[in-house]
Amino acid sequence: MRSKDRISYFYDGDVGSVYFGPNHPMKPHRLCMTHHLVLSYELHKKMEIYRPHKAYPVELAQFHSAEYVEFLHRITPDTQHLFSNELARYNLGEDCPVFENLFEFCQIYAGGTIDAARRLNNQLCDIAINWAGGLHHAKKCVASGFCYINDLVLGILELLKHHARVLYIDIDVHHGDGVEEAFYFTDRSVQHDRVMTVSFHKYGDKFFPGTGDVKETGEREGKFYAINVPLKDGIDDTSFTRLFKTIIAKVVETYQPGVIVLQCGADSLAGDRLGCFNLSIDGHAECVRFVKKFNLPLLVTGGGGYTKENVARCWTVETGVLLDTELPNEIPENEYIKYFAPEYSLKIPNGHIENLNSKSYIGTIKMQVLENLRCIQHAPSVQMQEVPPDFYIPDFDEDEQNPDERVDQHTRDRQIQRNDEYYDGDNDNDQNMDDV
């Protein structure tokens, strides 16, 4: 057992100030709310807080096509009318709109996940958190499901430089299709057995993205390295956590990963605007607690979540779980306190959607998944290759920095911040933005 986990936490106030549009369910503002809640519980005092570097186009092109990255870099709301063919080709439009500072938004959230992976690789921390990341639907050449750049795939590619096997776990209500697809076939430079993806999600009734049946297990030499746990509406804490623990315990025992990436999409919570599960925050957080107990290097990201005050509650509680810190239910005074009215409490009521997951259905799914796991050779042998260099290496010595010197965020993106950095309103561009 490690005596005390060293936790690195990544945040840039600019990530929460972008705006997808008036009727769009994705509200990056939820990231500012989460961060201020973390601050109000004084969790920042127990972690190292970093501002991520903005990922360079060449880093994003480690997975995405260079043409797609270049288009995201170039397109703006003012010029999009000139590029109708490209918008259609890259699936930009209603779900994935072009908005102000779109590319910078992608650079920040992807940079956070890449930086998190690098700190884990260099053994500078045991757990790395990037709540802005987890955009699991983006594909190599197209945007999808509110996701433009797949930070998770980029983070996993980074982790593969130092780890023989990476386990990806996804508890978003939507299937983690972009991550699964990236490692589904063997026509990539990554050997098929070096990444295993496990996704727990709603499946059926044409629910987005429509993939993730239990029978989808990978193809060719990659067969059985994708695990899907398709669920129906209304699953509750007891059923979900029992199934999660059984499957993940068996996966870790069989696959023996060197590092875990955990996507904590909060749209699987009860009462989510786009979700249909009955999970409480305690149930959701129990999955995080369970994964932490394996004592493996752990990269934790956000994901979906469209009832933003509940997203902030959930990810704050889970930050506490990762820090082994129990949080009082009464929310302390903070910049966004009005959003938590009238109870001003961390807990949320359980959902009342009918649970369509019968015991026999869950039993069948569990049996099929465990059967698929038996088809994998125990702890697959992996040929390690020479570690490629990082594209981005910080060019300063943290020990030599003057901690009292305020540094403009656009000149030194990767600097550790003072504890009170985010209490000022300077970096939080949308703190007064109306909730729309």
Side-chain angles (χ1 to χ4, degrees):
M1 285 288 289
R2 293 190 293 250
S3 56
K4 186 110 176 73
D5 289 309
R6 298 164 302 154
I7 300 193
S8 295
Y9 168 101
F10 293 88
Y11 178 76
D12 184 327
D14 282 354
V15 84
S17 64
V18 299
Y19 184 50
F20 275 61
N23 300 310
H24 201 288
M26 177 61 102
K27 311 284 187 196
H29 181 232
R30 68 203 176 127
L31 297 164
C32 296
M33 292 169 63
T34 302
H35 185 68
H36 280 268
L37 207 48
V38 164
L39 291 178
S40 72
Y41 277 105
E42 302 198 329
L43 296 177
H44 59 296
K45 294 180 176 174
K46 302 182 178 188
M47 308 184 282
E48 296 174 323
I49 309 285
Y50 292 92
R51 179 173 285 126
H53 85 287
K54 292 192 184 71
Y56 299 112
V58 68
E59 291 177 290
L60 304 180
Q62 288 297 287
F63 168 59
H64 295 282
S65 74
E67 301 75 34
Y68 173 59
V69 171
E70 199 274 324
F71 185 72
L72 287 179
H73 199 173
R74 192 166 33 120
I75 192 74
T76 69
D78 295 338
T79 60
Q80 62 178 327
H81 65 282
L82 304 171
F83 297 101
S84 52
N85 290 345
E86 288 91 339
L87 292 175
R89 183 187 318 149
Y90 298 128
N91 195 34
L92 296 173
E94 197 173 341
D95 271 3
C96 300
V98 175
F99 51 80
E100 211 63 59
N101 299 320
L102 165 61
F103 191 67
E104 187 184 35
F105 171 69
C106 294
Q107 287 180 293
I108 293 170
Y109 77 72
T113 301
I114 293 168
D115 283 351
R118 288 189 183 141
R119 284 194 74 76
L120 288 168
N121 278 348
N122 292 310
Q123 298 179 354
L124 297 170
C125 63
D126 304 304
I127 297 172
I129 303 170
N130 177 30
W131 293 126
L135 279 74
H136 58 174
H137 296 304
K139 311 283 172 59
K140 188 181 174 77
C141 305
V142 290
S144 174
F146 319 157
C147 307
Y148 303 83
I149 291 292
N150 198 316
D151 62 290
L152 292 157
V153 173
L154 295 169
I156 291 168
L157 291 174
E158 198 63 41
L159 292 168
L160 286 168
K161 294 178 182 179
H162 289 255
H163 296 276
R165 288 179 295 281
V166 179
L167 172 60
Y168 171 72
I169 304 170
D170 189 316
I171 57 171
D172 195 289
V173 78
H174 300 95
H175 177 224
D177 59 335
V179 184
E180 177 184 284
E181 188 179 295
F183 302 106
Y184 207 68
F185 301 107
T186 53
D187 53 0
R188 296 186 41 77
S189 59
V190 176
Q191 297 104 312
H192 63 276
D193 57 4
R194 293 194 60 201
V195 180
M196 177 176 278
T197 61
V198 187
S199 178
F200 296 77
H201 50 266
K202 151 82 177 175
Y203 178 74
D205 311 322
K206 299 187 175 164
F207 192 74
F208 183 87
T211 51
D213 191 347
V214 71
K215 297 184 186 73
E216 294 168 29
T217 60
E219 291 187 15
R220 301 199 291 271
E221 291 90 340
K223 198 153 181 60
F224 304 119
Y225 288 93
I227 292 174
N228 284 302
V229 186
L231 301 166
K232 302 178 193 244
D233 287 11
I235 194 158
D236 56 25
D237 288 351
T238 308
S239 314
F240 191 94
T241 55
R242 190 179 292 153
L243 188 60
F244 181 87
K245 290 176 180 183
T246 304
I247 288 173
I248 294 303
K250 197 66 189 167
V251 164
V252 171
E253 180 197 326
T254 307
Y255 187 61
Q256 295 185 15
V259 60
I260 297 176
V261 177
L262 176 59
Q263 195 267 22
C264 298
D267 46 9
S268 42
L269 291 175
D272 187 80
R273 197 171 150 186
L274 299 186
C276 50
F277 287 174
N278 285 331
L279 296 188
S280 71
I281 288 174
D282 286 340
H284 199 272
E286 185 56 34
C287 298
V288 178
R289 185 175 283 108
F290 186 73
V291 171
K292 180 181 186 288
K293 281 183 180 155
F294 291 107
N295 280 318
L296 289 165
L298 178 59
L299 198 170
V300 179
T301 72
Y306 307 99
T307 301
K308 60 188 191 175
E309 58 279 13
N310 289 349
V311 176
R313 288 177 165 107
C314 181
W315 292 344
T316 301
V317 167
E318 287 170 353
T319 304
V321 164
L322 294 167
L323 287 163
D324 295 317
T325 303
E326 192 76 36
L327 303 180
N329 190 32
E330 190 180 335
I331 291 177
E333 183 58 45
N334 72 85
E335 193 114 17
Y336 298 102
I337 191 74
K338 67 176 189 284
Y339 289 100
F340 304 104
E343 297 89 4
Y344 303 105
S345 61
L346 269 187
K347 305 288 182 209
I348 60 165
N350 288 342
H352 302 294
I353 297 172
E354 185 190 353
N355 186 355
L356 302 179
N357 300 272
S358 65
K359 280 191 173 157
S360 68
Y361 176 76
I362 286 182
T364 306
I365 292 294
K366 182 169 75 178
M367 208 170 60
Q368 285 183 271
V369 168
L370 297 180
E371 189 56 45
N372 291 340
L373 270 170
R374 275 193 279 278
C375 299
I376 297 172
Q377 60 177 119
H378 196 71
S381 61
V382 172
Q383 284 183 302
M384 289 302 284
Q385 295 151 341
E386 191 179 338
V387 175
D390 290 346
F391 279 100
Y392 174 79
I393 297 162
D395 56 358
F396 64 89
D397 181 345
E398 289 166 3
D399 295 335
E400 290 177 4
Q401 295 294 302
N402 176 357
D404 296 323
E405 184 185 296
R406 279 297 281 264
V407 180
D408 178 75
Q409 65 192 67
H410 296 297
T411 55
R412 281 208 194 261
D413 284 333
R414 165 97 184 198
Q415 184 160 348
I416 298 179
Q417 301 302 310
R418 292 171 19 170
N419 281 345
D420 64 347
E421 172 78 17
Y422 297 106
Y423 286 111
D424 312 77
D426 307 346
N427 298 324
D428 199 355
N429 296 346
D430 72 334
Q431 61 180 338
N432 300 316
M433 191 181 89
D434 290 334
D435 183 21
V436 285

